[in-house]
Amino acid sequence: MVATAQQHHSGTDVDRDEALRTIRDLLPLRHLSDREFANITNGVRVENCTPGNDFFRSGRDDQFIFYLLSGEVSITDAEGNTQNVTGGSIDARSPLAPHPRERVKATARTPTRFVRFPGDLMRLANEATHESITVDEITQGDEAPDKRALFE
């Protein structure tokens, strides 16, 4: 099997700018501040994969998180089950199989465009975002919402 880096080719700066606009609205990236987003996307490039080649493979690519921009990939789990994901679909709004232990490989079914991030950068950005969230307590009394209605 040819290594992923040899199968993929960088896109142009126009592709990168378009990709950054696209992924800015994806989960969990849309929850980052502009500064956090700029830090995490510094050096990110658009990559391509040709049909039949592995988009990612367990072990080799565990340190990365992938976002599919266009094309279709087939993700295979440890039990051999597959799921097809198409760029622009609901499934592609989140990282592809974000937990390395759940993914074995993803194979391009059509020509694909994607970006990948080092997973540790995403983890640090998520931790910083969660630390900045504050929650006000709900007071008891007549003005408090009926909590049962929230769960029914």
Side-chain angles (χ1 to χ4, degrees), residues 47-60:
E47 299 182 62
N48 300 300
C49 189
T50 56
N53 287 312
D54 288 342
F55 186 81
F56 61 68
R57 196 175 230 2
S58 185
R60 181 183 71 198

Side-chain angles (χ1 to χ4, degrees), residues 30-46:
R30 69 182 187 190
H31 298 296
L32 299 176
S33 70
D34 289 341
R35 191 174 116 223
E36 290 167 332
F37 183 77
N39 287 339
I40 206 169
T41 57
N42 186 30
V44 166
R45 354 177 282 256
V46 175

Side-chain angles (χ1 to χ4, degrees), residues 77-149:
D77 66 17
E79 288 78 40
N81 300 313
T82 61
Q83 173 189 5
N84 294 335
V85 178
T86 302
S89 69
I90 296 281
D91 290 333
R93 292 192 56 77
S94 297
L96 294 180
H99 306 289
R101 66 185 171 279
E102 294 176 2
R103 64 186 188 198
V104 174
K105 70 176 182 172
T107 305
R109 295 174 50 91
T110 65
T112 61
R113 291 178 53 237
F114 66 95
V115 293
R116 65 176 154 174
F117 296 96
D120 56 344
L121 285 179
M122 290 289 287
R123 183 181 49 78
L124 291 173
N126 278 336
E127 287 174 4
T129 300
H130 290 297
E131 288 174 6
S132 67
I133 296 174
T134 59
V135 178
D136 293 330
E137 281 191 43
I138 297 174
T139 58
Q140 297 296 325
D142 293 336
E143 295 179 26
D146 184 359
K147 292 177 188 146
R148 287 176 291 145

